[in-house]
């Protein structure tokens, strides 16, 4: 009985210590990366809670809901009564379009900034056949076509294009991905065999460095790539007629 009494007393002392007002957290400090849009640097904790009893996992979920266009890098406890949340911007892979507007989309399918009437420079436009407007900030893209193209978009983001050529847009049709380069060449991939298509393309460009400027299209959906010529311009047609 004495042992139990001592244990209860010790537990009560520990609870009293951990619940001391000196350890109460009343707000969370929010640290944003440099260049991020201006946002609140404080988040009230209601009711105030002991730093030892704060559920960091639940708080992370709450922050993710409050700031859907950002990611929680981590939340730290700093004694005696500080909580610091570090945020990071979501990685923008491209931009989607619907209802005549364009909106940047992150690698996990979240619209991160308000839509605009014209596409933003530097990001390929992702054309999804089943995407409808409006494009609201924080909206999650639930289109299966997006996930078919996400691996391709990630590669384009990492490399800044394809073999030095910038990408204008990516169109998804069934299992096929059509990549339009700013040079006018179109690349055609099978979404289910994207890795093999990249290998084929790398081999072709290695043998023909000017391929992505000269070809009309490169179809990589089959065992043997199919290369088509660009349509002749009016001047080229006139020159050809004169020679003939």
């Amino acid at each position: 009985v004495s042992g139990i009494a001592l244990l209860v007393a010790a537990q009560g002392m520990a609870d009293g210590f951990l619940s001391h007002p000196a350890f109460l957290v009343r707000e969370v400090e929010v640290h944003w990366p440099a260049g991020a849009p201006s946002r609140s640097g404080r988040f009230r904790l209601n009711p105030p809670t002991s730093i030892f009893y704060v559920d960091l996992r639940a708080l992370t979920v709450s922050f993710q809901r409050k700031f859907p266009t950002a990611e929680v890098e981590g939340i730290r406890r700093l004694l005696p009564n500080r909580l610091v949340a570090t945020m990071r911007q979501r990685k923008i892979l491209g931009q989607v379009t619907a209802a005549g507007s364009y909106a940047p989309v992150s690698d996990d399918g979240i619209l991160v900034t308000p839509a605009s009437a014209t596409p933003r420079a530097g990001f390929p436009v992702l054309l999804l056949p089943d995407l409808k407007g409006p494009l609201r900030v924080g909206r999650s893209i639930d289109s299966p076509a997006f996930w078919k193209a996400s691996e391709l978009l990630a590669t384009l983001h990492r490399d800044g294009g394809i073999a030095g050529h910038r990408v204008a847009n990516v169109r998804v049709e069934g299992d096929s991905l059509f990549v339009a380069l700013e040079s006018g060449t179109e690349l055609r991939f099978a979404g289910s065999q994207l890795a093999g298509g990249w290998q084929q393309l790398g081999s072709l460009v290695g043998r023909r460095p000017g391929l992505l400027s000269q070809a009309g299209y490169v179809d990589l959906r089959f065992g043997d790539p199919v290369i088509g010529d660009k349509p002749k311009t009016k001047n080229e047609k006139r020159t050809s007629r004169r020679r003939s």
Side-chain angles (χ1 to χ4, degrees):
V1 173
S2 298
I4 294 175
L6 288 173
L7 183 60
V8 171
Q11 183 64 46
M13 292 176 63
D15 289 342
F17 173 77
L18 296 178
S19 300
H20 192 278
F23 298 121
L24 285 181
V25 180
R26 291 176 170 78
E27 62 183 16
V28 183
E29 300 174 29
V30 186
H31 291 184
W32 293 93
S38 178
R39 294 176 180 172
S40 173
R42 303 281 176 177
F43 181 76
R44 299 290 297 178
L45 205 60
N46 190 21
T49 306
S50 169
I51 193 171
F52 301 106
Y53 296 148
V54 173
D55 187 339
L56 296 186
R57 180 175 296 181
L59 192 59
T60 298
V61 172
S62 177
F63 264 65
Q64 205 66 76
R65 291 174 179 169
K66 185 175 179 63
F67 305 110
T69 62
E71 291 182 295
V72 181
E73 192 171 276
I75 299 179
R76 295 174 294 151
R77 290 186 175 97
L78 299 177
L79 293 174
N81 57 4
R82 290 178 62 205
L83 284 178
V84 178
T86 303
M87 309 295 290
R88 63 168 174 255
Q89 296 298 111
R90 292 184 184 273
K91 183 188 298 181
I92 298 176
L93 294 187
Q95 52 193 322
V96 294
T97 181
S101 58
Y102 300 81
V105 64
S106 68
D107 55 350
D108 53 356
I110 303 294
L111 301 184
V112 296
T113 59
S116 61
T118 56
R120 291 165 171 80
F123 296 110
V125 176
L126 180 58
L127 305 172
L128 303 176
D130 54 351
L131 182 62
K132 308 298 181 183
L135 302 178
R136 298 190 182 93
V137 172
R139 173 183 170 183
S140 178
I141 301 298
D142 55 3
S143 165
F146 172 80
W147 300 110
K148 289 181 181 179
S150 61
E151 181 182 349
L152 176 59
L153 290 174
T155 302
L156 297 177
H157 181 273
R158 183 195 66 207
D159 298 344
I162 299 177
H165 293 266
R166 296 180 68 87
V167 174
N169 63 68
V170 179
R171 188 175 81 258
V172 181
E173 291 185 8
D175 185 53
S176 297
L177 303 174
F178 299 86
V179 180
L181 304 181
E182 291 184 352
S183 64
T185 300
E186 181 180 78
L187 306 177
R188 303 169 183 176
F189 295 92
S192 57
Q193 300 175 357
L194 189 57
W198 277 118
Q199 291 178 353
Q200 288 181 323
L201 182 62
S203 178
L204 285 171
V205 172
R207 297 196 304 268
R208 296 176 55 180
L211 176 67
L212 299 186
S213 297
Q214 300 164 358
Y217 67 86
V218 181
D219 201 327
L220 304 156
R221 295 174 294 177
F222 312 102
D224 294 322
V226 179
I227 301 173
D229 295 330
K230 283 185 177 178
K232 291 183 178 181
T233 64
K234 292 182 179 180
N235 289 336
E236 289 173 335
K237 290 179 180 178
R238 291 171 183 169
T239 302
S240 178
R241 289 171 183 169
R242 290 170 184 171
R243 289 176 180 175
S244 60

